[in-house]
Amino acid sequence: MLIRNRPGWWMPESAATPREMFLNRRAFMAATGVSVAGALLPAGIARAQSDDPTADLYPAPRNERFELDRDVTPQKYNLAFNNFYEFGSHKQIANDAQALKIRPWEVKIDGDVEKEMTLGIDELIRKMTLEERLYRHRCVEAWSMAVPWTGFPFARLVALAAPLSRAKYVRMETFYNPIMAPGQKQFWYPWPYVEGLTIEEATNDLAFLVTGAYGEPVAKQMGAPLRLATPWKYGFKSIKSIVRFTFTAERPKGLWEEILPTEYGFWANVNPDVPHPRWSQADEEVLGTGERVPTQLYNGYGEQVASLYSGYEGEKLFM
């Protein structure tokens, strides 16, 4: 008899939110008990990104290997509740984030690589085969959501970059334009936003470079045109609006680690047993439901990532 060992995050396809439900917002809201009237968003936010040159690539085929143990968060919440400090330190930055100019957009790959290169975002996207994955997302602020991301494995960008053997980390950097993004005028933040992963983390099957969500190009307030999704880490690691990947032998220091090193570290792996210095991480509020659920180690993805941290027991792993 064949016995299959299911990963901890697995659920049957029958329990996953059907594609047509989250692509049709009105049907989704009705099915989840959210009134259509209550789902209305400010002008300019709810419209489809039909002017995106890569819009023809969406919706991408779903990779059935990545499923959820909870419902997909309705799109209206993810469009109206966002952290994007470049446009403000509050959650209601969706209107302001529409000032983000995502074309032209160039992505630079440099550092310890065989050949440095700069690619236009549309060229980069079309070099990759896009797929959709259902991922949980856990914010360090103790709230969570579940998102149908579209994009490609980070490992494919690493392969394109062809890093040299001395490269141990990938440093990522977002745009810097204080005129466009007034939050970058706040001098107490070390702009531009920077984050980093080890090469092993970046090439793990879960590490995902996002170009879309909910079956269309990713919205500006969600990190267009290119952001990171590392679902086993706290959300501040998943840098938005990336313009540069630098392969390096030196461990990068992220923006939040630079500001508050006693509260935010390099690893940022989700761990319910390690509290933030100012609040517990034992449970989380599921965005849009008001429900609090227990937080899982590595956000439930331990089977896929725990081996990455063997031998690092002396490090400040989780915060």
Side-chain angles (χ1 to χ4, degrees):
M1 180 175 66
L2 176 64
I3 299 176
R4 293 183 177 179
N5 293 319
R6 303 291 192 185
W9 45 262
W10 184 87
M11 69 179 291
E13 171 64 19
S14 60
T17 303
R19 169 185 297 277
E20 61 271 17
M21 292 290 281
F22 64 74
L23 292 183
N24 183 331
R25 187 180 307 130
R26 288 179 178 269
F28 185 85
M29 297 303 176
T32 54
V34 179
S35 70
V36 172
L40 295 178
L41 295 168
I45 296 178
R47 67 176 183 272
Q49 310 253 340
S50 58
D51 56 344
D52 188 300
T54 63
D56 60 296
L57 300 176
Y58 304 87
R62 179 186 293 174
N63 188 329
E64 304 293 351
R65 294 174 52 235
F66 301 92
E67 297 293 350
L68 291 172
D69 61 351
R70 62 183 67 172
D71 290 335
V72 168
T73 301
Q75 186 182 26
K76 73 159 190 170
Y77 294 109
N78 280 321
L79 290 178
F81 185 86
N82 311 96
N83 280 322
F84 206 159
Y85 277 71
E86 286 82 350
F87 294 96
S89 57
H90 52 86
K91 296 292 191 296
Q92 287 72 42
I93 52 81
N95 269 333
D96 293 337
Q98 302 314 302
L100 179 64
K101 305 299 182 186
I102 58 174
R103 296 298 189 285
W105 191 277
E106 291 187 334
V107 177
K108 185 174 184 178
I109 299 173
D110 64 3
D112 292 330
V113 295
E114 288 186 3
K115 183 180 179 180
E116 297 186 351
M117 64 185 81
T118 300
L119 302 171
I121 186 63
D122 300 317
E123 179 186 2
L124 175 61
I125 291 173
R126 292 189 182 278
K127 277 182 177 289
M128 305 297 173
T129 300
L130 301 186
E131 62 184 64
E132 180 182 83
R133 297 183 178 186
L134 305 184
Y135 274 178
R136 290 194 297 274
H137 177 96
R138 173 59 155 83
C139 182
V140 73
E141 298 168 340
W143 56 266
S144 64
M145 59 185 180
V147 190
W149 296 120
T150 300
F152 56 91
F154 201 150
R156 293 184 193 162
L157 185 135
V158 175
L160 177 67
L164 304 177
S165 60
R166 62 176 174 267
K168 306 301 181 186
Y169 303 92
V170 187
R171 178 187 184 274
M172 292 158 282
E173 183 177 304
T174 193
F175 69 91
Y176 181 66
N177 187 337
I179 296 175
M180 179 179 72
Q184 292 184 328
K185 295 179 181 178
Q186 296 175 331
F187 61 87
W188 50 88
Y189 291 112
W191 303 112
Y193 200 110
V194 167
E195 260 306 337
L197 298 174
T198 66
I199 295 291
E200 291 76 18
E201 289 176 321
T203 54
N204 181 271
D205 195 30
L206 285 174
F208 200 56
L209 289 171
V210 169
T211 65
Y214 296 91
E216 59 189 39
V218 67
K220 293 180 178 181
Q221 62 269 32
M222 294 175 71
L226 183 68
R227 64 165 291 166
L228 175 65
T230 48
W232 72 98
K233 293 180 176 289
Y234 291 117
F236 70 87
K237 292 291 289 188
S238 292
I239 183 173
K240 297 179 175 180
S241 302
I242 304 170
V243 298
R244 188 176 183 182
F245 296 87
T246 300
F247 291 79
T248 176
E250 297 181 6
R251 182 184 293 184
K253 183 172 287 189
L255 179 141
W256 287 108
E257 185 181 4
E258 186 77 34
I259 297 170
L260 292 169
T262 60
E263 297 189 6
Y264 304 98
F266 175 79
W267 298 103
N269 295 319
V270 176
N271 188 342
D273 297 325
V274 178
H276 184 279
R278 289 180 281 134
W279 57 80
S280 170
Q281 297 287 15
D283 59 14
E284 64 206 53
E285 180 175 346
V286 180
L287 187 63
T289 69
E291 179 186 8
R292 296 202 72 86
V293 299
T295 294
Q296 301 180 61
L297 180 63
Y298 296 109
N299 205 20
Y301 295 100
E303 293 177 31
Q304 291 71 46
V305 300
S307 62
L308 295 174
Y309 308 104
S310 177
Y312 288 92
E313 288 79 9
E315 293 250 4
K316 191 179 180 184
L317 271 176
F318 300 102
M319 288 301 299

